[in-house]
Structure formats: C-alpha cells, structure tokens
C-alpha cells in the first residue's frame, strides 16, 4: 500500500478541490499526487517518476520540479488527462513508490527497490521501443503507398496498410490456461482468482465455506458463500465446490513439475465460453476491469461471448432458459429437448457461434504447461468431447507436447436433456476411456460447482 506523503502545503491544495470536483475525480487526483512523489533526498529536493512526468510535460508543456507546480496543475487539471497519467504511474506506485513514514515525509528507497525500479524501467523502455518501431514501420509503408502515382496501384497498396493494421489480441497462447465452458455470469472466473485466498467456516451454518469474492467494479473483496463441503445426508456423495478442486490441481501440478517456481491463478490465462446474450455486457465488464487491474489477479482474461461449446465450429442456435432466474438461467442449451428449454417454451433459438475444444486448445495452449478445463454446458458436452477425441487433441497435447490436462465435466442425462441417445452413444464409444488413455486427469460430476 502506498502512503502518499503530501505535507501541509499539498493537503491544503487537496482540500481546495473538495468543492470543485466529484469524489471520483478527487480519487484520481489523489492517485496522481501519489504518483508525483518518488524520493525526498537528503538535500530536500523532489525527484519525480520519469514516465509519469514525461507525459505530464507533454500534456502541460512544463517540467515538474516543485510542489508549487503541483498545486498550480491541480487547480487547472483536466481529469481526462489524469486517467492517462495514472496508467503511467501505476507501475511506479506498485513497485517503486512504497513510502511509509510516521513523520509525514518520504524516505530513501532501498538499494534493492532502486534496482528493481531500474529493471522495470528498462523492460518498459524495451517494450516501448519495440512498439514504437512497429508503428513507425507501418506508418512509413503507408506513406510510401499513398505516394504511388498510379491510381489503381495506390488504391490497392494503401488498402493493404489500412486493413487491420493493429491486431486486437483477445486470445493469446499461454503456458498455463483455464478453459471455462459454460461461464454463465462469470462466477467461475471469480472463484478461480479466489482459489488461494483464505477461506472461513461460516458460523451461521455449520459446514459452509466462505470465500472473499473479488468485486471487478471496485477491485475490493467481499464475502461470498460458495457452498457446503459435504452433504448433510451421509448416504449421498460429497458436494464438490470449485475452488478446492482448482487449488488441488494447481498444487499437484506444482508438486510434480521439476523446474521453475510454483504457479498460482495469477499465472494463468482464463478463457470463458458463454452463449447467453443477456450476460454479454456483464462478462465484458468483468474482462475489461480485470485486465485494467494492477496488479492483475490473472495473467490474461477473455470471454467468448455468444459462443457455445460444440462439436462443430460455426453458426448454431442456443435455446434460452427463461424460468430459472435465481440460478442465472443455467438451463439454456443448444438442445431443444432440454428440460428447462421446454419449460421456458423457447421454440426459437438465438444465433450464437459454436466453438470446438480442439480449436480453443489449439489457439490458447503452449507446450509443457498446465490446462484446466471445466465443462457444464447442458447436454452439449457429449458433442464437444466426441469431437476432441476424434481430433486426438488430448493425446497430442499430453503425450507429444508435455501438457498436463485436468478436466472436470458434468454430464447431463435423460432427466435433463430429454433424450437418452446421447448417453448411450457415449457409453458405446467408450468416451471416458479414450480421454483417460491420453493421460488426461479426468473428473466426472460437479454437484455444487455451479
């Protein structure tokens, strides 16, 4: 946590803002001021963070060297610019600007902190140099194409440079991956990042486990009851809840791997697949906010909204559950015969895009790592897994590329799907055996995981 030491002079400047700006803008300004402070040297001179002040100098046409300038800028700051400044200062605030003094004045950074700061700055400069070179090369080619005299050739060449010059990389390959088929409202993502956080037994109900769930709007944690560890009826199988399953698989992977430090949720790329269009806005909210967090609780996150796990890549239809509001309409399915679809009288499906397990694994997984797969897609799991078996993607990843795969799947039977043909076909083809023979660590059933 950064303690921004402002002193009486800066305190007065902040107080003057109270009547002028909203609480949100004041928060941005306070963070801005925190980013200004780096080290108070023995000569009592301010040293300011480089990336931050360079951008301030560009935006304001002045170099920051004193508190008087800070106060003056705070009187006429454009809050829109502050947001850009904050993004540049975040790395310094998190890594370089740790200030903690009871005497309300900054202390000299330790040599190790200073060394780390230089390393981070060097990495940032290298990344910036690569980015700058790529953009400049593109722009140079664009200018050269625009200067071609022949009209037809100029049009053809400029079109090449104007068509998607900036690649939007929502999906990237990672060594550690979590695939979530049936993301619903994004609760699995939140459970995933909570996995290694403390858990508490609830006094209100014996046997319940309480986790502190991440709020992607505020970045803070709040209590969330996930479920019971075991059933009160000892004759029934134990309830499973997702965080312990995830934690156990990650710990097992860490114990078995021979090299490198242990990994945790923040080292994984999360990809969620959800077809229900009513959840698109919420899932995008989770994704954008989590990608903007510093530090970030996952390495990367992307929801494939209005996509469903399927046996074929391409357009398909999703029939919506409109009755189970308390369960976030968890019965939506690509199957017209699904119990909740029939009860909802959903005769017309909404257009969505089917995506196979083979395709998503191929596009997201690097060799030698760890993949966790959660499947809960209301009857579509049969086609999804059969396609993956036929493509031999499991064997290729595990046996040829050294990837560890942990998968948990909830099969939906006749009572839910409305047909027994799917289960009969799966048994006849010995689907479970094909999966485990490839070396996949395969778990069946997810009661309590929703």
């Amino acid at each position: 946590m950064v303690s921004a030491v402002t002193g009486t002079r800066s305190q007065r400047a902040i107080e003057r803002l109270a009547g002028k700006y909203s609480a949100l803008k004041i928060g941005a300004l306070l963070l801005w001021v925190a980013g200004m402070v780096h080290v108070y040297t023995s000569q009592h001179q301010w040293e300011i963070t480089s990336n931050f002040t360079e951008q301030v100098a560009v935006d304001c046409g002045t170099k920051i060297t004193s508190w008087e300038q800070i106060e003056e800028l705070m009187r006429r700051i454009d809050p829109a610019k502050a947001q850009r400044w904050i993004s540049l200062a975040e790395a310094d605030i998190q890594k370089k600007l740790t200030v903690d003094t009871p005497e309300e004045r900054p202390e000299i950074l330790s040599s190790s902190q200073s060394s780390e700061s230089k390393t981070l700055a060097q990495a940032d400069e290298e990344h910036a140099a690569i980015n700058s070179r790529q953009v400049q090369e593109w722009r140079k080619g664009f200018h050269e194409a625009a200067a071609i005299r022949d009209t037809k050739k100029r049009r053809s060449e400029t079109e090449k440079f104007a068509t998607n010059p900036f690649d939007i990389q929502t999906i990237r390959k990672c060594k550690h991956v979590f695939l979530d088929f049936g993301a619903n409202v994004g609760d699995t993502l939140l459970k995933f990042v909570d996995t290694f956080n403390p858990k508490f037994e609830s006094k209100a109900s014996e046997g319940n486990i309480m986790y502190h769930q991440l709020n992607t709007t505020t970045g803070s944690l709040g209590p969330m009851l996930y479920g019971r560890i075991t059933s009160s009826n000892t004759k029934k199988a134990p309830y499973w809840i997702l965080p312990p399953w995830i934690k156990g698989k990650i710990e097992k992977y860490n114990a078995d791997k021979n090299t490198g430090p242990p990994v945790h949720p923040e080292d994984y790329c999360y990809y969620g697949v959800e077809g229900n269009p009513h959840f698109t806005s919420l899932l995008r909210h989770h994704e954008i906010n989590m990608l903007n967090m510093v530090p970030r609780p996952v390495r990367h996150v992307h929801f494939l909204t209005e996509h469903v796990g399927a046996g074929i890549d391409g357009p398909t239809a999703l029939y919506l559950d409109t009755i189970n509001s308390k369960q976030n309409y968890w019965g939506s399915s690509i199957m017209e015969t699904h119990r909740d679809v029939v009860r909802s009288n959903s005769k017309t499906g909404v257009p969505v895009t089917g995506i196979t397990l083979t395709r998503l694994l191929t596009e997201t997984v690097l060799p030698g790592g760890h993949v966790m797969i959660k499947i809960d897609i209301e009857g579509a799991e049969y086609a999804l897994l059969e396609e993956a078996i036929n493509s031999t993607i499991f064997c290729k990843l595990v046996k040829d590329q050294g990837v560890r795969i942990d998968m948990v799947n909830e099969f939906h039977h006749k009572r839910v799907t409305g047909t027994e043909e799917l289960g009969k076909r799966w048994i006849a083809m010995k689907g479970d055996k094909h999966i485990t023979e490839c070396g996949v660590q395969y778990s069946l059933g997810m009661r309590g995981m929703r």
Side-chain angles (χ1 to χ4, degrees):
M1 179 66 68
V2 175
S3 174
V5 182
T6 58
T8 56
R9 180 177 295 175
S10 60
Q11 184 64 39
R12 288 196 301 271
I14 293 171
E15 289 171 355
R16 287 198 299 271
L17 292 168
K20 188 175 181 181
Y21 294 105
S22 68
L24 179 62
K25 291 178 181 178
I26 290 175
L29 291 171
L30 289 173
L31 184 56
W32 173 67
V33 173
M36 300 297 294
V37 183
H38 186 190
V39 178
Y40 190 71
T41 65
S42 57
Q43 290 79 25
H44 297 275
Q45 296 176 345
W46 293 102
E47 294 182 1
I48 312 299
T49 63
S50 59
N51 291 337
F52 184 78
T53 46
E54 285 174 7
Q55 186 62 55
V56 174
V58 170
D59 288 342
C60 301
T62 182
K63 184 177 180 181
I64 306 302
T65 58
S66 68
W67 271 112
E68 286 76 10
Q69 287 177 288
I70 292 175
E71 289 187 343
E72 177 61 29
L73 283 174
M74 288 177 71
R75 282 192 285 268
R76 58 186 178 87
I77 186 174
D78 177 1
K81 289 180 180 178
Q83 187 60 46
R84 180 170 53 191
W85 297 345
I86 289 168
S87 66
L88 292 172
E90 278 178 341
D92 292 310
I93 293 170
Q94 292 293 332
K95 301 293 185 181
K96 296 168 61 178
L97 303 182
T98 302
V99 181
D100 187 12
T101 168
E103 300 176 1
E104 292 198 333
R105 60 185 179 84
E107 299 290 347
I108 303 297
L109 291 180
S110 68
S111 59
S112 61
Q113 288 176 308
S114 177
S115 176
E116 181 182 11
S117 300
K118 291 179 180 178
T119 302
L120 290 170
Q122 290 169 353
D124 180 68
E125 289 177 2
E126 291 172 2
H127 175 75
I130 294 172
N131 182 76
S132 178
R133 183 173 66 252
Q134 291 174 336
V135 174
Q136 289 176 23
E137 289 175 354
W138 165 80
R139 187 181 293 117
K140 179 182 177 182
F142 200 8
H143 276 287
E144 292 174 351
I148 297 174
R149 292 188 176 183
D150 182 87
T151 303
K152 185 176 181 179
K153 185 177 181 181
R154 181 175 65 248
R155 184 181 299 114
S156 174
E157 291 300 311
T158 54
E159 183 69 19
K160 294 178 183 178
F161 284 94
T163 303
N164 300 326
F166 305 106
D167 185 21
I168 301 175
Q169 295 184 346
T170 54
I171 292 182
R172 63 183 64 172
K173 286 194 172 185
C174 304
K175 190 172 182 180
H176 307 105
V177 178
F178 188 99
L179 301 183
D180 180 13
F181 285 89
N184 200 260
V185 294
D187 52 311
T188 296
L189 169 63
L190 302 181
K191 292 174 184 178
F192 178 67
V193 302
D194 290 346
T195 297
F196 280 79
N197 292 344
K199 62 181 184 293
F200 309 91
E201 289 192 12
S202 171
K203 294 181 180 179
S205 181
E206 185 179 354
N208 282 331
I209 289 296
M210 188 79 74
Y211 286 84
H212 284 76
Q213 189 178 61
L214 175 66
N215 184 319
T216 58
T217 299
T218 65
S220 61
L221 300 180
M224 176 66 184
L225 185 65
Y226 282 166
R228 297 180 62 81
I229 302 177
T230 60
S231 170
S232 58
N233 186 340
T234 57
K235 295 181 180 180
K236 294 182 179 179
Y239 279 88
W240 288 11
I241 56 177
L242 193 53
W245 181 83
I246 294 171
K247 185 176 182 180
K249 297 305 180 183
I250 293 178
E251 288 178 338
K252 177 63 175 173
Y253 170 71
N254 285 330
D256 291 346
K257 70 189 186 80
N258 298 320
T259 60
V263 298
H264 300 92
E266 57 270 23
D267 301 304
Y268 284 75
C269 294
Y270 168 96
Y271 296 99
V273 180
E274 176 54 47
N276 195 326
H278 296 300
F279 302 146
T280 296
S281 178
L282 175 60
L283 295 178
R284 287 178 177 168
H285 168 86
H286 287 323
E287 177 180 327
I288 292 170
N289 283 14
M290 195 166 288
L291 286 174
N292 284 322
M293 290 179 182
V294 179
R296 194 160 57 234
V298 287
R299 184 181 176 192
H300 182 64
V301 57
H302 177 59
F303 286 100
L304 290 88
T305 54
E306 297 173 35
H307 280 65
V308 294
I312 301 175
D313 292 305
T316 187
L318 179 70
Y319 300 90
L320 299 183
D321 167 9
T322 60
I323 59 174
N324 293 305
S325 59
K326 291 183 179 180
Q327 291 78 29
N328 298 314
Y329 308 106
W330 62 4
S332 298
S333 174
I334 63 173
M335 302 186 62
E336 294 181 74
T337 58
H338 190 286
R339 175 184 61 189
D340 294 333
V341 171
V342 174
R343 291 174 179 174
S344 301
N345 198 28
S346 296
K347 297 179 180 180
T348 304
V350 296
V352 294
T353 302
I355 186 168
T356 60
L357 191 50
T358 298
R359 178 183 172 188
L360 198 53
L361 285 169
T362 301
E363 293 183 356
T364 61
V365 178
L366 289 172
H370 183 211
V371 178
M372 286 181 284
I373 307 170
K374 187 219 86 175
I375 304 172
D376 185 3
I377 50 178
E378 305 304 313
E381 62 273 7
Y382 295 97
L384 182 77
L385 292 172
E386 182 175 347
E387 183 281 331
I389 290 171
N390 292 337
S391 75
T392 69
I393 186 65
F394 292 136
C395 288
K396 289 176 182 176
L397 289 175
V398 176
K399 296 182 178 180
D400 299 341
Q401 299 185 28
V403 176
R404 177 188 176 94
I405 299 179
D406 288 297
M407 181 165 66
V408 62
N409 169 51
E410 180 172 4
F411 276 118
H412 297 80
H413 302 295
K414 179 183 177 180
R415 183 176 62 87
V416 175
T417 63
T419 176
E420 60 183 0
E421 296 304 316
L422 297 174
K424 286 183 176 181
R425 178 179 174 84
W426 183 258
I427 293 172
M429 67 176 288
K430 298 181 180 179
D432 295 339
K433 182 180 179 182
H434 283 293
I435 293 173
T436 55
E437 283 181 344
C438 286
V440 175
Q441 306 299 311
Y442 185 41
S443 302
L444 297 175
M446 293 195 297
R447 189 175 185 185
M449 279 194 170
R450 290 180 186 263

